[in-house]
């Protein structure tokens, strides 16, 4: 397990949420020094601490354990918020349009 990479993922999501190490440490209930050591990979982090960090950062634990582009996560969150405000009929239309776009992209754009 690469604790440095995990720490970098935590740091990326912490910064995306506009939190300082001090603020995240306070929310999680650990010392600032411990949070710093987690982010630099200088210490192993326990499962309960990992779960608490994920909860505070509003991400899945696998988002912290596996390197994923933050932009994709932000886009998915934005899309989820949009879809939650739609009626059932609007959701059906959006789903049909999204499927048609995906098929067209795969067929023509090689994306």
């Amino acid at each position: 397990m690469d604790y440095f990479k995990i720490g970098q993922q935590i740091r990326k999501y912490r910064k995306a949420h506009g939190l300082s190490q001090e603020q995240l440490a306070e929310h999680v209930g650990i010392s600032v020094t411990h949070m710093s050591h987690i982010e630099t990979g200088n210490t192993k982090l326990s499962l309960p601490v990992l779960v608490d960090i994920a909860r505070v950062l509003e991400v899945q634990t696998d988002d912290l354990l596996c390197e994923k582009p933050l932009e994709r996560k932000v886009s998915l969150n934005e899309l989820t918020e949009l879809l939650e405000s739609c009626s059932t009929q609007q959701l059906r239309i959006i789903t049909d349009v999204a499927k048609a776009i995906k098929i067209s992209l795969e067929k023509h754009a090689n994306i």
Side-chain angles (χ1 to χ4, degrees):
M1 192 166 260
D2 189 336
Y3 290 99
F4 177 76
K5 285 185 180 179
I6 294 169
Q8 292 305 296
Q9 287 295 102
I10 291 169
R11 180 182 181 153
K12 177 175 71 172
Y13 285 105
R14 173 181 61 77
K15 287 187 171 197
H17 275 75
L19 295 173
S20 67
Q21 281 186 345
E22 293 82 7
Q23 292 168 320
L24 181 56
E26 183 179 323
H27 287 303
V28 174
I30 61 174
S31 72
V32 176
T33 302
H34 190 110
M35 180 58 65
S36 175
H37 289 174
I38 288 170
E39 286 191 6
T40 58
N42 290 327
T43 189
K44 296 179 181 179
L45 81 152
S46 68
L47 184 57
V49 171
L50 176 68
V51 170
D52 286 343
I53 290 172
R55 178 186 46 79
V56 171
L57 297 177
E58 300 174 328
V59 297
Q60 300 293 319
T61 52
D62 68 329
D63 293 329
L64 301 177
L65 296 173
C66 306
E67 198 170 338
K68 295 181 180 178
L70 180 59
E71 296 78 22
R72 179 176 171 87
K73 180 73 174 172
V74 170
S75 297
L76 290 174
N77 287 342
E78 186 177 9
L79 186 55
T80 299
E81 289 175 13
L82 173 70
L83 295 175
E84 286 174 347
S85 68
C86 291
S87 69
T88 302
Q89 184 178 9
Q90 290 171 328
L91 285 173
R92 286 185 187 132
I93 293 168
I94 290 170
T95 300
D96 289 345
V97 169
K99 286 178 182 176
I101 291 170
K102 176 104 168 68
I103 290 167
S104 181
L105 286 171
E106 289 171 349
K107 184 178 179 182
H108 299 291
N110 200 16
I111 294 176

